[in-house]
């Protein structure tokens, strides 16, 4: 049985991943903004087989309460084996280009609050010299594109921080996993036109769950996004800036 702490538990991808842990009989502590939604998710996970479930509300940018919530979770779980961070906002790029408030909010939610949480969680896992810290980034972090460079930048900060943690914790029992989904059909992307490259949250969640247990420490889901983004990163900028991406 794993003791699992999940931030962003009501998002589509993370909720689907939580079901995988519940099916395995793991103990879960859920964190999100909505008490009502957390309650519904918790009830569902209990039915699916979670050994025990508790929850706490936390606004992502309320960084003063992060330590308190983490401590409460670890006390309830009796320790910590797995931590998953998977919340974020997807700003309108056009609006952000003339509104610094949107830029600030995006970076505070997607970057600053996440890095602070990773710091809290790393301290606990490092003290125990075991466990997995996984954070959901995005393929958008791999290259700045005109259509979503604010969102991509906010996720790129997570990528670099996680990479640095992996270097620092090399040789310890702590595993740091970066998860990079491509296009996923979720409520956050409801207004996007869907095509062949889009994946369902349930498929992405299964890949996240299996990848957290073993495999590479940078996971592209679905798998083909690793090669798509490799090709995109190799395009010279003088050509790339003229592409409608």
């Amino acid at each position: 049985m794993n003791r699992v702490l999940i931030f962003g538990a009501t998002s589509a991808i993370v909720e689907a991943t939580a079901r995988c842990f519940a099916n395995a009989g793991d103990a879960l502590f859920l964190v999100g903004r909505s008490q009502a939604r957390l309650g519904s998710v918790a009830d569902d996970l209990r039915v699916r087989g979670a050994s025990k479930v508790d929850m706490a509300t936390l606004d992502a940018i309320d960084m003063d309460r992060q330590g308190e919530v983490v401590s409460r979770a670890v006390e309830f779980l009796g320790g910590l084996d797995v931590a998953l961070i998977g919340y974020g906002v997807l700003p309108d790029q056009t609006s952000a280009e003339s509104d610094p408030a949107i830029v600030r909010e995006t970076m505070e939610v997607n970057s600053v609050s996440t890095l602070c949480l990773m710091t809290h969680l790393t301290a606990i896992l490092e003290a125990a010299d075991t466990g997995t810290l996984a954070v959901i980034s995005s393929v958008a972090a791999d290259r700045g594109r005109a259509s979503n460079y604010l969102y991509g930048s906010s996720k790129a900060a997570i990528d670099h921080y996680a990479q640095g943690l992996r270097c620092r914790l090399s040789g310890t029992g702590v595993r740091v996993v970066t998860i990079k989904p491509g296009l996923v059909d979720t409520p956050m992307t409801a207004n996007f036109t869907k095509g062949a490259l889009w994946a369902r949250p349930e498929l992405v969640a299964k890949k996240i769950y299996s990848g957290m247990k073993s495999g590479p420490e940078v996971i592209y889901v679905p798998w083909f996004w690793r090669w798509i983004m490799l090709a995109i990163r190799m395009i010279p900028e003088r050509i790339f800036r003229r592409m409608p991406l």
Side-chain angles (χ1 to χ4, degrees), residues 94-160:
T94 302
S95 299
E97 289 164 10
S98 59
D99 191 344
I102 296 176
V103 176
R104 176 175 177 173
E105 178 188 22
T106 300
M107 299 305 291
E108 286 183 342
V109 174
N110 291 1
S111 302
V112 180
S113 72
T114 299
L115 303 189
C116 290
L117 262 181
M118 293 174 72
T119 303
H120 284 295
L121 296 166
T122 300
I124 292 170
L125 296 174
E126 190 174 14
D129 196 30
T130 186
T132 298
L133 170 60
V135 60
I136 296 181
S137 175
S138 171
V139 297
D142 283 14
R143 188 151 195 185
R145 296 182 292 127
S147 61
N148 70 347
Y149 59 85
L150 173 56
Y151 178 74
S153 299
S154 71
K155 292 297 187 177
I158 294 172
D159 284 10
H160 282 264

Side-chain angles (χ1 to χ4, degrees), residues 3-5 7 65-83 116-133 165 168-169 172-176:
R3 299 163 295 182
V4 185
L5 171 54
F7 288 87
R65 289 191 59 235
Q66 287 183 350
E68 166 200 332
V69 171
V70 169
S71 296
R72 175 179 162 188
V74 172
E75 181 178 2
F76 170 77
L77 294 169
L80 186 63
D81 300 308
V82 177
C116 290
L117 262 181
M118 293 174 72
T119 303
H120 284 295
L121 296 166
T122 300
I124 292 170
L125 296 174
E126 190 174 14
D129 196 30
T130 186
T132 298
L133 170 60
L165 271 182
R168 183 170 74 80
L169 298 174
T172 74
V174 180
R175 191 162 180 261
V176 179

Side-chain angles (χ1 to χ4, degrees), residues 9 12 14 21 24 51 60 68 75 87 93 101 106 151 161 164 167 173-174 184 195 219 224-226 228 236:
V14 179
F21 286 108
S51 59
E68 166 200 332
E75 181 178 2
Y87 60 80
Q93 178 61 47
T106 300
Y151 178 74
Y161 194 89
C167 293
V174 180
V184 186
I219 305 167
F224 52 77
W225 281 100
R226 179 181 296 275
I228 291 175

Side-chain angles (χ1 to χ4, degrees), residues 9-10 15 30-47 53-57:
T10 59
E15 181 180 353
L30 314 176
V31 183
R33 286 188 303 171
S34 169
Q35 181 77 24
R37 281 284 292 124
L38 281 173
S40 297
V41 172
D43 289 343
D44 176 70
L45 297 176
R46 292 186 185 100
V47 171
V53 184
D54 200 359
M55 58 190 181
T57 57

